[in-house]
Amino acid sequence: MNAGENPTGKTDMVLIVLVLVLAAVGLAALFSASEYNGRVRFDDSAYYFKKQLFATALGLLVMYLVAKTDYHVSVALAPVAYLLSLLLSTAVLLFGQEINGSKRWLNLGPLSFQPSEFAKMAVILFLVWQISRTKKKTTGFWFMARTMLTLLPVVGLVGSNNLSTAVIILGIGVMLIFVANPRYLQFLALGSAGISFIAVFLAAESYRLERLAIWRDPEKYEKGFQTIQGLYAIGSGGVFGLGPGNSIQKLGFVPEAQNDMIFSIVCEETGIVGAFLLILLFVLLIWRLCVLALNCRDLSGTLLCAGIMAHMAIQVILNIAVVTNTIPNTGITLPFVSYGGTSVVFLMGEMGLALSVSSHRQRKAA
């Protein structure tokens, strides 16, 4: 170790503050968006909020425990996590609970578990483990193809009922290969292969092609109702919004307002200003993960932060694009904001991995 280097860094307090602020903002937005559905369905306006609050508290505990563990230990366990994700993804196809025509949840007694959320974290760890152990050059097309091929089993299993998660997993793979590979021309071939893969998935099921038609002209189809109502919510919010709790569209007009379309309720209640501030929080979080990746001298730590950053960026962009009808509806949640206990727990776990990198990485000489 050279003079001026420190084998351990300090925990990134900026990242911790951003995560806590996002979690608090998400809980506040969720309570407002879900109170009507909670009162109508369960006679408890705080029903969804209480469940999300419990999941967030559990997630913070997971984040703390993971942050205290050397991330190299987590990476070493990546093959086990990847195999477990394959088993859980297979189990959900065989025994999963079907909701709105898709099997995405496993019932574990009184709790439900969404294996696709675990699969995202498992894939990040597995790709970091695989790339960091590659003894040959990481610049050839074979390296790119081999790395992506290892993702096909989980992409196939998850994508059969959850195309959006499959796209996120493929995006994470492309980002990590991009970080490990200094050449850019080969990504044209990789991008073409990815577009072809997505096209096959779209053509495999008629309802996916139907989503494309709904996206082009939502007013023409009954299933375009959610998209239209979400756009009404965004438009009626104006610059400063109707005020917290004053959304009209959440009163049954936007179906399941606490889930995928929650960003439209945020826009309605807080306006363009509130939507911009929420997006700014996500941008700052992604920037902070990028800073950690760029300043880590250990390849595993760099790849780990890059993978988490890719996951966060892709999911936020896709959700907001869906809500604004920029892309077809893919049923994807907004991190830390949309309702989903499994999602918030594993997101917190990923933040714990990033914090572990910040506290255990080798820092550059001052």
Side-chain angles (χ1 to χ4, degrees):
M1 185 171 61
N2 298 328
E5 288 185 351
N6 187 349
T8 59
K10 295 180 180 179
T11 302
D12 195 320
M13 292 305 299
V14 175
L15 182 60
I16 292 177
V17 170
L18 287 171
V19 170
L20 292 177
V21 171
L22 262 174
V25 170
L27 286 170
L30 177 72
F31 177 73
S32 178
S34 67
E35 59 175 343
Y36 174 80
N37 284 333
R39 185 168 62 252
V40 170
R41 294 184 180 183
F42 305 101
D43 197 28
D44 182 2
S45 59
Y47 174 82
Y48 293 102
F49 172 78
K50 287 187 287 189
K51 294 189 70 173
Q52 190 77 351
L53 180 62
F54 172 77
T56 301
L58 179 61
L60 288 171
L61 176 61
V62 170
M63 182 177 74
Y64 173 79
L65 294 176
V66 173
K68 290 298 182 181
T69 304
D70 192 332
Y71 63 93
H72 294 98
V73 175
S74 301
V75 172
L77 295 174
V80 177
Y82 184 69
L83 289 175
L84 181 59
S85 72
L86 292 177
L87 291 174
L88 290 172
S89 297
T90 303
V92 80
L93 292 179
L94 298 176
F95 314 110
Q97 179 184 10
E98 186 171 330
I99 299 177
N100 296 329
S102 298
K103 289 184 177 180
R104 298 183 181 181
W105 291 267
L106 283 175
N107 287 328
L108 304 175
L111 303 176
S112 60
F113 174 75
Q114 196 168 0
S116 60
E117 298 298 333
F118 172 67
K120 297 173 191 175
M121 185 174 176
V123 162
I124 293 172
L125 288 169
F126 182 71
L127 287 176
V128 172
W129 176 83
Q130 182 182 7
I131 295 173
S132 61
R133 287 171 59 90
T134 300
K135 298 183 184 298
K136 298 180 180 180
K137 291 183 178 180
T138 59
T139 56
F141 181 78
W142 169 239
F143 161 75
M144 298 171 63
R146 175 168 51 86
T147 303
M148 294 303 292
L149 283 173
T150 60
L151 297 183
L152 291 186
V154 71
V155 168
L157 288 170
V158 171
S160 60
N161 275 317
N162 195 339
L163 178 62
S164 56
T165 299
V167 171
I168 291 173
I169 291 173
L170 287 173
I172 292 170
V174 170
M175 173 60 76
L176 289 181
I177 292 173
F178 183 81
V179 172
N181 188 346
R183 298 179 182 175
Y184 304 133
L185 188 61
Q186 297 165 341
F187 282 90
L188 294 177
L190 185 62
S192 300
I195 293 172
S196 301
F197 186 83
I198 293 173
V200 170
F201 258 91
L202 288 173
E205 297 287 348
S206 59
Y207 77 89
R208 292 173 184 153
L209 293 177
E210 184 184 27
R211 285 183 178 180
L212 290 175
I214 295 171
W215 167 60
R216 294 179 62 185
D217 191 2
E219 294 183 344
K220 188 177 179 180
Y221 297 87
E222 183 180 350
K223 292 182 179 179
F225 178 81
Q226 184 185 47
T227 298
I228 293 172
Q229 296 301 320
L231 292 175
Y232 285 161
I234 295 172
S236 62
V239 177
F240 298 105
L242 303 179
N246 294 328
S247 167
I248 303 299
Q249 297 304 112
K250 71 180 180 183
L251 303 179
F253 296 102
V254 174
E256 304 292 340
Q258 70 276 4
N259 291 334
D260 307 340
M261 301 294 289
I262 195 170
F263 183 72
S264 66
I265 306 302
V266 172
C267 292
E268 184 181 10
E269 295 189 342
T270 64
I272 295 174
V273 173
F276 174 78
L277 291 176
L278 180 58
I279 293 172
L280 179 61
L281 283 174
F282 283 118
V283 170
L284 290 174
L285 181 63
I286 293 166
W287 160 77
R288 200 60 199 171
L289 292 168
C290 182
V291 169
L292 284 176
L294 291 174
N295 287 279
C296 185
R297 300 182 65 185
D298 175 58
L299 179 60
S300 294
T302 296
L303 293 173
L304 195 56
C305 290
I308 297 169
M309 178 187 68
H311 173 201
M312 186 65 57
I314 294 170
Q315 191 157 332
V316 169
I317 291 171
L318 287 180
N319 177 269
I320 295 176
V322 164
V323 172
T324 56
N325 202 36
T326 307
I327 63 173
N329 196 320
T330 58
I332 194 165
T333 57
L334 186 62
F336 295 110
V337 183
S338 295
Y339 175 70
T342 308
S343 174
V344 74
V345 168
F346 284 107
L347 281 170
M348 290 294 186
E350 290 182 20
M351 296 303 108
L353 288 171
L355 290 171
S356 177
V357 171
S358 73
S359 59
H360 291 90
R361 66 185 171 90
Q362 283 190 326
R363 299 174 66 188
K364 290 185 178 182

